[in-house]
């Protein structure tokens, strides 16, 4: 069997391992090691790579940003920022039809700005907002779908762990990617709010209203979210203005949220230890996936699959836009099968060489940033696409009384909003690139 055929054969093997419930990092590691062994017919190559790849992955300065952002999210959760964000949004929007759901989306956007993780945003905001939504007459399916969709803002609104990984894979500037994600992130939140407004008019019995609050209480609730604005402005503004590197910015953000948690008396030794352990667990999981992807992508490079795929696309004469649409549709389908980080690590080394050969009338850097944001949005859609959207399972697990089918029915409206946004951003790249 040729190396190229071996590379193509590895895809169904990888998917088979995933369907057998093997962890995605382990599945990619097995395919990578096994593939290299078969392609080279010796154990020397993969053993040497095992020695070098592990060290280079776990000692990478670029990847040290990940535990810092995860720790920042842990401290932000403990300090009560999530509740303050929801209460502020609730005070201003709760009296409107569907306003509580809009407040949940707004709070998710705010929390995503200091968390960087979709799953963490969805889980944290659900603990805060789900009881309130149920209290004011929101149906279970609509409530869980809203929070699942709002949770996806965690990986789109900077800082974002997934954007950091993408920047490393494509060798792009992290600060510019954060800037490029800002407007699409705002559009996502506004699009979800518009979706909610349409939904509650189509199904008025699915949502209740919160009593209108006086302006004094509204401004008081708004003042409580000042820590979020300070941390977000310091981290993202500092990175964008060159005050410090992204890794330094993440460390500053972790320290800032830690101090806020300490001064709010939410932080004691037991809580601090738990935050460190949770951060270490999350970092270990991400790094293991990165390691598995490194081996698997090294095997694919050895078999020349990315280069062959790029050459095949070029020889077919497809227009750049056709190729882009095909890739985005592939991501939508793949999003039903695996998590966002695994998708990025598995596919970007294959698709990025293809995209680089196409002429979109932009510089390579602009194409890389624009493509990255599009991919991030489509990956985000995968988190709420039935039947295997990760956010759907997390939210539904926190509300066992709501049937999963009810969540599926409601979340399709948010998926439609995402698809419309992808089309707009694909047709008008300037929306993404205007801030870089």
């Amino acid at each position: 069997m040729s190396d190229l055929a071996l590379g193509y054969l590895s895809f169904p093997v990888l998917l088979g391992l995933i369907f057998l419930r093997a962890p995605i990092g382990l599945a990619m590691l097995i395919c990578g090691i096994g593939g290299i062994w078969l392609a080279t017919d010796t154990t020397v190559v993969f053993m040497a790579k095992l020695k070098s790849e592990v060290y280079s992955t776990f000692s990478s300065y670029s990847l040290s940003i990940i535990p810092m952002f995860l720790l920042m999210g842990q401290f932000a959760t403990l300090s009560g920022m999530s509740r303050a964000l929801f209460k502020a949004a609730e005070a201003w929007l709760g009296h409107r039809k569907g306003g509580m759901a809009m407040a949940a989306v707004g709070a998710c956007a705010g929390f995503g700005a200091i968390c960087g993780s979709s799953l963490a945003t969805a889980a944290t905001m659900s603990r805060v907002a789900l009881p309130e939504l149920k209290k004011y007459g929101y149906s279970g399916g609509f409530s869980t779908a809203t929070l699942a969709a709002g949770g996806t803002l965690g990986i789109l609104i900077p800082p974002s762990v997934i954007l950091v990984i993408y920047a490393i894979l494509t060798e792009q500037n992290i600060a510019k990617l954060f800037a490029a994600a800002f407007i699409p992130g705002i559009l996502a939140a506004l699009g979800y709010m518009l979706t909610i407004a349409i939904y509650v008019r189509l199904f008025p019995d699915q949502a209740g209203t919160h009593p209108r609050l006086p302006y004094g209480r509204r401004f008081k609730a708004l003042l409580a979210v000042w820590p979020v604005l300070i941390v977000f402005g310091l981290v993202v503004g500092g990175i964008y203005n060159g005050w410090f590197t992204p890794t330094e910015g993440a460390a500053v953000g972790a320290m800032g949220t830690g101090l806020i948690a300490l001064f709010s008396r939410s932080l004691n030794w037991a809580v601090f230890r738990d935050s460190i352990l949770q951060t270490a667990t999350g970092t270990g999981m991400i790094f293991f996936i990165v390691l598995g992807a490194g081996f698997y992508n090294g095997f694919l490079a050895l078999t020349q699959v990315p280069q062959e795929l790029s050459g095949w696309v070029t020889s077919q004469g497809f227009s750049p836009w056709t190729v882009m649409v095909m890739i985005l549709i592939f991501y939508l389908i793949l999003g039903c099968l695996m998590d966002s980080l695994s998708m990025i690590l598995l596919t970007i080394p294959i698709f990025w060489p293809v995209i680089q050969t196409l002429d979109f009338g932009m510089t390579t850097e602009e194409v890389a940033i624009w493509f990255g944001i599009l991919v991030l949005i489509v990956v985000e859609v995968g988190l709420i696409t039935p039947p295997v959207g990760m956010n759907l399972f997390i939210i539904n697990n926190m509300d066992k009384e709501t049937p999963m089918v009810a969540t599926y029915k409601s979340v399709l409206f948010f998926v439609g909003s995402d698809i419309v946004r992808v089309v707009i951003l694909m047709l008008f790249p300037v929306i993404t690139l205007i801030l870089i």
Side-chain angles (χ1 to χ4, degrees):
M1 183 183 296
S2 68
D3 289 351
L4 187 61
L6 196 61
Y8 287 132
L9 182 62
S10 68
F11 290 113
V13 173
L14 178 63
L15 290 177
L17 288 171
I18 293 171
F19 277 121
L20 290 174
R21 306 299 294 271
I24 181 67
L26 180 60
M28 288 193 288
L29 187 62
I30 290 172
C31 287
I33 290 177
I36 292 172
W37 189 355
L38 291 172
T40 59
D41 198 27
T42 177
T43 61
V44 174
V45 177
F46 83 78
M47 290 296 289
K49 189 173 178 62
L50 189 63
K51 179 180 69 174
S52 60
E53 191 80 20
V54 173
Y55 176 78
S56 62
T57 297
F58 296 154
S59 63
S60 169
Y61 178 77
S62 298
L63 287 178
S64 63
I65 192 174
I66 292 174
M68 292 295 99
F69 276 143
L70 293 179
L71 185 60
M72 185 169 74
Q74 287 289 330
F75 285 150
T77 302
L78 294 170
S79 63
M81 291 184 187
S82 56
R83 182 170 296 278
L85 283 164
F86 179 70
K87 288 298 181 184
E90 177 189 46
W92 288 88
L93 298 171
H95 61 280
R96 301 179 180 277
K97 191 67 174 176
M100 292 284 287
M102 295 179 189
V105 168
C108 285
F111 191 75
I114 51 173
C115 178
S117 166
S118 173
L119 301 182
T121 300
T124 301
M125 293 310 305
S126 293
R127 284 192 289 269
V128 173
L130 197 54
E132 294 292 312
L133 291 168
K134 293 289 191 70
K135 178 181 176 181
Y136 289 101
Y138 283 74
S139 69
F142 182 38
S143 300
T144 52
T146 298
L147 290 167
T152 63
L153 299 173
I155 65 170
L156 182 56
I157 294 180
S160 166
V161 171
I162 303 296
L163 269 182
V164 171
I165 297 293
Y166 176 84
I168 294 170
L169 291 174
T170 58
E171 300 180 346
Q172 298 302 315
N173 185 289
I174 294 176
K176 289 185 177 181
L177 276 165
F178 281 179
F182 188 73
I183 292 179
I186 298 299
L187 288 178
L190 294 176
Y192 287 160
M193 290 183 183
L194 179 61
T195 300
I196 290 167
I198 294 171
Y199 186 92
V200 296
R201 281 160 179 77
L202 293 175
F203 308 102
D205 59 326
Q206 299 284 297
T209 56
H210 184 285
R212 182 187 291 269
L213 296 180
Y215 279 97
R217 290 184 60 184
R218 293 189 196 185
F219 282 109
K220 184 179 179 180
L222 197 60
L223 288 174
V225 302
W226 65 266
V228 177
L229 299 177
I230 290 177
V231 171
F232 176 76
L234 189 60
V235 174
V236 178
I239 293 173
Y240 187 70
N241 288 308
W243 298 339
F244 30 68
T245 67
T247 302
E248 292 167 348
V252 168
M255 184 184 69
T257 49
L259 290 174
I260 291 168
L262 183 64
F263 290 134
S264 66
R265 299 182 180 179
S266 306
L267 188 64
N268 54 40
W269 175 248
V271 171
F272 177 77
R273 183 180 60 186
D274 186 59
S275 297
I276 296 297
L277 288 174
Q278 291 292 331
T279 300
T281 301
T283 302
M285 179 193 70
I286 291 173
F287 274 34
F288 186 65
I289 294 174
V290 171
L291 179 65
F295 268 87
Y296 185 62
N297 290 323
F299 160 65
L300 291 180
L302 182 66
T303 60
Q304 298 289 301
V305 168
Q307 294 84 344
E308 286 292 327
L309 181 61
S310 177
W312 180 83
V313 170
T314 304
S315 67
Q316 296 304 305
F318 294 131
S319 74
W321 300 99
T322 301
V323 176
M324 179 67 78
V325 170
M326 290 168 60
I327 289 175
L328 295 180
I329 291 174
F330 178 83
Y331 273 113
L332 282 174
I333 297 171
L334 195 63
C336 300
L337 304 174
M338 67 175 61
D339 65 276
S340 54
L341 178 61
S342 303
M343 277 192 284
I344 292 292
L345 287 167
L346 177 62
T347 59
I348 291 301
I350 299 172
F351 289 149
W352 175 233
V354 175
I355 293 295
Q356 281 183 300
T357 64
L358 304 176
D359 182 14
F360 291 96
M362 294 179 276
T363 66
T364 301
E365 182 186 47
E366 289 173 337
V367 170
I369 292 173
W370 172 61
F371 177 63
I373 300 303
L374 287 176
V375 168
L376 191 68
I377 294 172
V378 180
V379 164
E380 162 202 324
V381 178
L383 292 171
I384 59 172
T385 303
V388 199
M390 295 287 289
N391 276 17
L392 300 179
F393 282 102
I394 285 179
I395 302 297
N396 208 260
N397 189 54
M398 302 180 74
D399 183 21
K400 297 184 184 296
E401 297 177 359
T402 300
M404 182 65 84
V405 174
T407 304
Y408 284 167
K409 289 179 179 178
S410 297
V411 84
L412 290 176
F413 285 83
F414 295 98
V415 172
S417 171
D418 282 327
I419 292 174
V420 169
R421 178 160 42 95
V422 169
V423 172
I424 292 172
L425 293 175
M426 188 172 70
L427 294 177
F428 302 100
V430 67
I431 298 174
T432 301
L433 302 175
I434 192 171
L435 293 181
I436 67 171

